[in-house]
Amino acid sequence: MKTHMIMALFTAMALFQTLSGQSNSEDHYVGTFSNSQSGLVLSMDKAADGTYQGFFQLQGQQYAFSKGTKLLGMINAEYQYNGQAFAFSLSRLIGEYYVTSEGVSIPVVKTANQPVAATKSTANTGNSSKTNTATSPTTISSGTGTKATTTAPAATGTRIADPYIGYSFQTPAAWNSQEQGGGFVLSKVGTQVSMSVSPHEYKTLAEMRAQVLDANDPASNTYLKAQTKEYGSNGLFIRFDGTAQGKAVVIEMISLLSPNGGGVTVAATGVKDQYGAEYTTLIKSMANSVQFSKPQTSSLAEQWKQKIKGKRLDYYYTGNGMADHYIIHICSEGTFVYKNDNSYSSNNAYTDFSYASAGADAGKWQVVAKGAQPTLILRFNDGRVWEFPMSPGKAGNEILLNGKRYFVQAGTMCQ
């Protein structure tokens, strides 16, 4: 529901209660309110003069307010950040509470009938000579088109680098990393949440945003709702909520653009009841640590690149009375299409290269030299990444990919 519709509904309900003479001696607005997904906590108390006071807390930062007043059944107040005032309201509609600030409303749950005490070391009233480490007020946001706060503690683990793609990042302390699928997978003993860092090929934020879609797959009982927010000046914060194969899950990711083209995505995935705000903070700390560099090239990688560029690689397999023929079309502009010959004979659509190159069995290719080992990397459009160590074959028109013989020949379907 749009924000202006929510606010209109709040006002209508408040006016109805006023006109009908409904009253209640209990003050529903005194207490502690929270939203578990965003980590928002609102503590509200009533002062002796009848006004409301308290603080917001989000990701370790607290923002104090006072002199809140009740108008049309809503509490209206202002919280302070570095001397600036930001308006917000707390509303109650048919037993449900909502916090609204800067045109965005999010639901909160009343978790206690008493307010909680502020932590003096982190409270920010805007009058202290010491300012906290946040560079901008924490954004209360929900849905597409808002900005996500980039504030997070610095990661303190090991710095991991992929010089061939051109990026490095800092891992969180106590998390182990393993190179896998063209990127890195992170894990920690005792947690069921997994994190990863992987490169992408997007050129613009608009191109990236266009690919963020809800997932609705009855066959696998997967239904995920997508939310997108801007992250700094060169990234997007993306969150998926829903079910995957029948399990309630949360997927969060931050995709950043590199000034050298492409970029990286930092992601975390977990079962919803085990996924807390601390994991949002962790992926932000990693994303904030990302450093981009110009991708390294080598004469060895360039030699192998020229050997397969614009060619088709054919692999034949015979066994158990069956024969298969797999083909990788290595296109000069950096794309590839992977199919077997049965696919072509049964589906005329794949004779159209523009159609095939957009499919799941297509993507971008790259040759890198990992030490003295040339490696072909295929990054599929559906997220798969295949890596093939390369070596010479017995004949001049053969190469070995991961030890298997492929014939290098003309006749690629690239245009």
Side-chain angles (χ1 to χ4, degrees):
M1 184 181 296
K2 299 295 185 181
T3 300
H4 68 273
M5 295 178 65
I6 293 175
M7 294 307 299
L9 189 54
F10 286 156
T11 303
M13 290 299 297
L15 285 173
F16 173 78
Q17 292 174 357
T18 300
L19 292 173
S20 62
Q22 294 181 7
S23 62
N24 195 316
S25 59
E26 178 185 358
D27 192 331
H28 298 284
Y29 294 115
V30 173
T32 304
F33 307 83
S34 65
N35 178 285
S36 59
Q37 291 185 0
S38 66
L40 170 69
V41 175
L42 170 61
S43 176
M44 184 171 289
D45 199 1
K46 199 169 187 178
D49 62 359
T51 61
Y52 293 82
Q53 61 188 17
F55 64 90
F56 281 109
Q57 178 173 301
L58 191 61
Q59 295 185 2
Q61 306 297 329
Q62 292 185 358
Y63 309 95
F65 64 88
S66 60
K67 303 298 182 183
T69 59
K70 183 180 289 187
L71 178 65
L72 295 177
M74 297 180 286
I75 305 302
N76 298 274
E78 294 179 342
Y79 67 92
Q80 298 292 318
Y81 179 84
N82 286 346
Q84 293 186 344
F86 295 85
F88 78 94
S89 66
L90 175 64
S91 306
R92 185 171 185 262
L93 177 64
I94 318 178
E96 303 290 336
Y97 293 91
Y98 295 84
V99 171
T100 302
S101 180
E102 298 182 350
V104 178
S105 295
I106 60 173
V108 291
V109 176
K110 191 173 187 179
T111 54
N113 291 323
Q114 298 80 31
V116 294
T119 304
K120 293 183 179 180
S121 61
T122 58
N124 185 342
T125 63
N127 299 319
S128 172
S129 60
K130 294 183 179 180
T131 58
N132 60 39
T133 57
T135 57
S136 61
T138 300
T139 303
I140 302 173
S141 57
S142 173
T144 303
T146 59
K147 293 185 178 181
T149 174
T150 60
T151 303
T156 58
T158 305
R159 178 159 287 275
I160 306 296
D162 187 334
Y164 310 108
I165 302 298
Y167 72 93
S168 67
F169 66 95
Q170 200 93 7
T171 66
W175 283 76
N176 299 315
S177 65
Q178 180 179 1
E179 189 172 359
Q180 182 176 315
F184 299 89
V185 175
L186 286 82
S187 61
K188 181 182 178 182
V189 175
T191 179
Q192 299 299 313
V193 174
S194 63
M195 296 194 295
S196 64
V197 179
S198 57
H200 66 71
E201 297 292 335
Y202 296 115
K203 298 181 179 63
T204 66
L205 293 180
E207 180 184 355
M208 190 187 302
R209 192 189 300 272
Q211 298 302 312
V212 181
L213 302 172
D214 295 345
N216 295 288
D217 183 13
S220 63
N221 196 13
T222 297
Y223 302 92
L224 296 170
K225 184 70 175 179
Q227 297 183 28
T228 306
K229 305 181 181 74
E230 295 178 11
Y231 192 83
S233 60
N234 70 325
L236 292 181
F237 180 92
I238 303 163
R239 179 181 171 109
F240 292 91
D241 278 281
T243 59
Q245 296 182 343
K247 294 183 178 180
V249 299
V250 172
I251 303 170
E252 289 186 329
M253 57 186 68
I254 299 172
S255 288
L256 304 173
L257 292 176
S258 167
N260 303 305
V264 297
T265 296
V266 181
T269 305
V271 178
K272 191 166 187 176
D273 61 5
Q274 299 178 6
Y275 194 98
E278 67 270 23
Y279 296 108
T280 304
T281 300
L282 284 178
I283 65 170
K284 288 182 177 181
S285 70
M286 285 196 293
N288 294 350
S289 75
V290 170
Q291 297 177 357
F292 291 109
S293 59
K294 188 174 181 179
Q296 291 185 10
T297 58
S298 70
S299 57
L300 177 63
E302 189 63 27
Q303 290 173 10
W304 280 90
K305 178 180 177 180
Q306 294 303 321
K307 184 176 182 66
I308 65 173
K309 182 179 180 180
K311 301 293 195 301
R312 57 181 283 177
L313 310 179
D314 290 69
Y315 171 72
Y316 296 90
Y317 171 78
T318 302
N320 299 322
M322 300 181 64
D324 286 314
H325 176 201
Y326 297 96
I327 309 166
I328 308 174
H329 295 273
I330 304 292
C331 304
S332 299
E333 74 277 11
T335 60
F336 75 89
V337 175
Y338 175 86
K339 283 294 174 184
N340 61 60
D341 57 0
N342 293 330
S343 296
Y344 293 106
S345 62
S346 63
N347 191 341
N348 291 331
Y350 286 107
T351 60
D352 181 353
F353 176 71
S354 62
Y355 181 92
S357 61
D361 288 328
K364 302 282 188 177
W365 68 274
Q366 180 185 26
V367 176
V368 300
K370 297 187 175 183
Q373 176 62 66
T375 303
L376 172 64
I377 302 176
L378 303 180
R379 302 185 188 278
F380 288 81
N381 293 333
D382 64 1
R384 289 174 295 159
V385 180
W386 291 357
E387 294 191 9
F388 299 93
M390 308 173 73
S391 56
K394 293 182 179 180
N397 67 334
E398 299 174 3
I399 62 171
L400 301 181
L401 299 183
N402 202 22
K404 296 181 178 180
R405 184 177 63 175
Y406 284 75
F407 294 95
V408 181
Q409 54 189 331
T412 177
M413 67 185 295
C414 303
Q415 294 178 341

